[in-house]
Amino acid sequence: MKIIRCKDYADMSRKAANIISAQVILKPNAKLGLATGTTPIGAYQQLIKWYEKDDVDFAEVSTYNLDEYRGLSHDDPQSYHYFMRDNFFDHININLDNTHVPDGSNPNAEEACAEYDALVKAAGYVDLQLLGIGNNGHIGFNEPDEAFSKGTHCVDLTESTIKANSRLFEREEDVPRQAYTMGVQTIMRAKMILVVANGSAKQQAVYDMVYGPVTPRVPASILQLHTNCILVADEEALGMCPA
Ligand code: GLP
C-alpha cells in the first residue's frame, strides 16, 4: 500500500481530488466507485471547484456507490442517495442516469443486493474506488466479521458504527440498523483503490489496516493485498504509523 502523508484535512482532500481528477482526465468515461461519510466531502468540494474552472469534465463518467441504509427513500436527507446529490452530483455535469447507489428503498434485501451486484458486474467493476474507513476498520458497511464478504449484501450495523454515524442524525434511535453494502470481494476488484482518512479517531483503524494482520476482524486490512492501493491520510490519522 502506498502511503501519502498530508499536513491536514485540506491537504488530504486536495491530494485525493488530484488522484480522482487524474483518473477522469486519463479516462473520460471512467467508472468511479464512490463513498459517503464526512471524510471524502473535502475531496468532492475540490473536484466541484475544478469542474467550475473547466479543469475536469464528468459528462462521460459513471459512478457506483458503496452502500446505502436499508429503509430510507432516495429523497430522505439521511440517505446516501441524497448525500451524493447534495455533496457532489448536483454540482457537476454528471449524467444522473449514470450514477448508481444500492436501492435502500427496496425492502426486499435479496433482490436489491442481487440487482446492484449485477449492475457492478456488468460494468466490469470500477477503475477507481474511493474509500473511507470506519473507526472499527470497516469499509463500505462491511463490519468486522468471521469471514470477508463477497458481493452486495444486507448487514446489521454494529453498535460502534451506529454510535459513530449518529452524529449525523437528530437522535441515535433514528440511525437505521441495517444497510446494503458492496462486498469486500467486489471492492477488491477495483483497478485502483484510494483510501482517505483524517483525524485521531482513525489512528488505530489506520494502523491495523496497514500494519496489522490481514483479518476479517479488520475488514480494511485486506487492502494490504491489493496491488494498486493508495492511502491518503493526515498526520493525525497516521499518528500510530512509523514516519
Ligand atoms: C460510514 C460509511 C463508510 C465510511 C464511514 C466513515 O459507515 N458507510 O463508507 O467510510 O462511515 O465515515 P466518516 O468518513 O464520516 O468517518
Side-chain angles (χ1 to χ4, degrees):
M1 189 180 307
K2 181 171 177 55
I3 302 177
I4 300 179
R5 224 168 236 277
C6 306
K7 285 198 292 287
D8 51 25
Y9 181 74
D11 190 28
M12 178 207 79
S13 300
R14 257 192 327 269
K15 288 191 163 74
N18 259 304
I19 294 169
I20 298 167
S21 85
Q23 169 69 79
V24 175
I25 290 166
L26 288 167
K27 187 178 177 190
N29 63 347
K31 297 178 178 70
L32 302 180
L34 297 181
T36 53
T38 40
T39 316
I41 291 178
Y44 293 145
Q45 286 171 347
Q46 183 63 71
L47 288 168
I48 293 166
K49 279 192 199 138
W50 286 334
Y51 159 71
E52 286 167 349
K53 285 171 63 189
D54 237 356
D55 284 343
V56 57
D57 179 5
F58 294 93
E60 292 176 50
V61 166
S62 47
T63 65
Y64 298 84
N65 260 78
L66 285 166
D67 47 14
E68 177 61 286
Y69 288 116
R70 184 183 190 192
L72 298 191
S73 69
H74 298 186
D75 52 5
D76 186 313
Q78 299 294 355
S79 74
Y80 286 170
H81 272 87
Y82 188 97
F83 174 101
M84 290 309 300
R85 289 193 62 160
D86 195 35
N87 287 291
F88 196 33
F89 299 153
D90 283 351
H91 310 282
I92 55 172
N93 65 334
I94 198 160
N95 178 350
L96 284 178
D97 292 342
N98 295 335
T99 66
H100 311 281
V101 181
D103 186 5
S105 71
N106 184 350
N108 183 336
E110 223 169 282
E111 183 184 81
C113 294
E115 273 175 16
Y116 201 66
D117 247 5
L119 199 72
V120 181
K121 191 174 175 192
Y125 302 97
V126 299
D127 296 297
L128 184 156
Q129 176 67 58
L130 175 63
L131 286 182
I133 179 169
N135 295 345
N136 61 0
H138 75 243
I139 48 176
F141 266 133
N142 292 283
E143 298 278 28
D145 207 343
E146 295 303 314
F148 289 110
S149 61
K150 295 190 167 55
T152 307
H153 58 292
C154 182
V155 287
D156 295 328
L157 302 180
T158 62
E159 273 314 309
S160 108
T161 298
I162 292 167
K163 220 177 185 42
N165 290 3
S166 67
R167 71 188 193 283
L168 305 168
F169 289 76
E170 215 166 285
R171 299 167 311 167
E172 195 171 314
E173 305 92 88
D174 297 338
V175 185
R177 268 37 190 176
Q178 287 189 313
Y180 300 150
T181 183
M182 232 184 232
V184 170
Q185 188 182 64
T186 308
I187 292 171
M188 287 293 281
R189 287 188 196 269
K191 294 186 183 74
M192 183 198 288
I193 296 184
L194 170 61
V195 189
V196 285
N198 76 291
S200 52
K202 300 290 169 69
Q203 272 184 11
Q204 186 70 52
V206 166
Y207 178 85
D208 291 346
M209 166 175 69
V210 183
Y211 295 103
V214 175
T215 163
R217 289 267 138 232
V218 181
S221 64
I222 198 153
L223 300 173
Q224 291 174 36
L225 305 182
H226 196 281
T227 51
N228 194 6
C229 180
I230 306 170
L231 167 65
V232 179
D234 75 351
E235 291 289 354
E236 285 189 0
L238 290 169
M240 287 174 65
C241 298

